[in-house]
Amino acid sequence: MLYSSERPGISAAALARACGVTPPTMNTVLKNLQERGLIQRTPHEWHRNVLEIRLTDEGHAVMAIADARAVSVERALADEFTDEERATLVGLLQRCAALLDSVRPD
């Protein structure tokens, strides 16, 4: 959910598009986060049928912990490879991502 912390007030539909998941999937994720008190969903000021998503104080705290853990994992993985191996891996993953983007249904 990093994206919602970077874009407070984003809608569920926009967040689903950004994450590459379906709106029903995103709504399930958001419902779970809301039940845990990590996000708030409030009606948009002008478009009352659009719910804006914002992290709660607890959500920001959980996000900070998750970010720190992700950095730790990334550093540990980076330490396992030489510079050349990392460059090769990044190139291979970029090719995978490009292929997946090219076959993604609209």
Side-chain angles (χ1 to χ4, degrees):
M1 300 303 287
L2 179 60
Y3 205 77
S4 67
S5 70
E6 294 171 352
R7 298 234 352 244
I10 191 170
S11 70
L15 189 56
R17 283 190 298 276
C19 294
V21 300
T22 64
T25 298
M26 183 55 66
N27 279 322
T28 299
V29 170
L30 293 173
K31 180 180 176 236
N32 290 334
L33 292 171
Q34 190 171 15
E35 287 174 357
R36 291 181 57 200
L38 301 176
I39 64 166
Q40 291 177 321
R41 297 176 80 185
T42 56
H44 185 276
E45 183 178 352
W46 301 315
H47 307 286
R48 302 311 261 172
N49 59 331
V50 174
L51 295 177
E52 297 181 315
I53 303 160
R54 287 185 172 74
L55 289 172
T56 62
D57 289 343
E58 185 176 355
H60 281 287
V62 168
M63 178 65 77
I65 292 167
D67 281 344
R69 288 180 179 171
V71 168
S72 176
V73 168
E74 289 170 1
R75 286 182 180 153
L77 282 171
D79 289 346
E80 287 297 311
F81 299 98
T82 66
D83 290 343
E84 183 178 324
E85 289 171 330
R86 274 193 299 282
T88 299
L89 180 59
V90 167
L92 292 170
L93 291 173
Q94 287 172 336
R95 284 175 44 197
C96 291
L99 173 68
L100 292 174
D101 282 343
S102 74
V103 298
R104 181 185 310 197
D106 293 330

